[in-house]
């Protein structure tokens, strides 16, 4: 089993990535560092509300902050994301193996029972007991009377 540096870091990364606003911020930062004002503008929310999102990203280690005079710039930090990707790759290998096995099983089943080969209708042998009379199937009649109170 692969051990990760800190399970809390992994939890913080997934919690940060759970919100679409924070994912959009990371997507914007892929193109280079931006000021807080530039990042906040397209989201249409108050600056204090937006700062909470940035704090979550910072706590997860996904962004780093640099102050240049009065302007605070943020840049993406890929290291925590790489750890999350390693964690996910374990499960990708697991599910890929399972799906490959399912595909092989279905392929073998198709070879044994090709879909173009029609199943032969099952015939019921006639009864050998004496005195049986084949009865005709009866259709149900009209709806019976209803009792209203």
């Amino acid at each position: 089993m692969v051990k990760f540096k800190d399970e809390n870091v992994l939890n913080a990364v997934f919690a940060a990535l759970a919100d679409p606003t924070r994912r959009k911020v990371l997507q914007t930062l892929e193109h280079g560092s931006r000021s807080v004002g530039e990042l906040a503008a397209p989201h249409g929310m108050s600056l204090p509300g937006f700062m909470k999102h940035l704090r979550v990203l910072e706590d997860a280690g996904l962004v780093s902050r640099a102050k240049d005079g009065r302007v605070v710039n943020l840049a993406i930090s890929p290291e925590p994301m790489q750890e999350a990707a390693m964690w996910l790759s374990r499960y990708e290998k697991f599910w890929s193996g399972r799906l490959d096995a399912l595909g092989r099983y279905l392929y073998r089943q198709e070879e044994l029972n090709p879909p173009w080969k029609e199943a032969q209708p099952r015939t019921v042998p006639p009864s050998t007991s004496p005195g049986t009379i084949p009865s005709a199937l009866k259709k149900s009649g009209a709806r019976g009377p209803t009792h209203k109170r």
Side-chain angles (χ1 to χ4, degrees):
M1 184 170 158
V2 178
K3 290 286 183 180
F4 294 97
K5 294 179 213 172
D6 188 1
E7 287 293 320
N8 291 333
V9 171
L10 196 59
N11 293 341
V13 168
F14 284 121
L17 294 175
D19 185 82
T21 301
R22 295 190 284 263
R23 289 193 305 268
K24 181 70 175 161
V25 168
L26 291 173
Q27 201 172 20
T28 303
L29 290 174
E30 287 176 1
H31 306 292
S33 66
R34 299 277 192 272
S35 70
V36 172
E38 289 174 318
L39 290 170
H43 296 285
M45 62 176 69
S46 69
L47 191 57
F50 186 73
M51 293 300 289
K52 289 180 183 179
H53 285 290
L54 295 181
R55 195 166 320 132
V56 171
L57 289 169
E58 243 183 315
D59 291 346
L62 293 169
V63 295
S64 60
R65 188 183 282 252
K67 194 168 185 180
D68 184 24
R70 292 177 51 171
V71 178
V72 176
N73 288 312
L74 290 144
I76 197 165
S77 299
E79 295 82 19
M81 194 84 74
Q82 290 169 342
E83 192 166 337
M86 282 178 28
W87 186 85
L88 288 170
S89 72
R90 245 185 16 198
Y91 292 96
E92 180 184 9
K93 290 176 190 173
F94 170 78
W95 283 112
S96 292
R98 296 288 181 165
L99 291 172
D100 288 345
L102 176 62
R104 287 189 301 273
Y105 171 78
L106 293 174
Y107 181 76
R108 273 185 265 134
Q109 290 301 312
E110 192 174 275
E111 283 182 338
L112 294 174
N113 303 313
W116 60 86
K117 187 177 179 182
E118 290 186 32
Q120 299 297 322
R122 290 184 52 184
T123 57
V124 178
S127 174
T128 57
S129 64
T132 58
I133 301 171
S135 61
L137 293 176
K138 295 180 182 177
K139 294 184 179 180
S140 64
R143 184 174 173 183
T146 57
H147 299 285
K148 294 186 180 178
R149 294 183 188 208

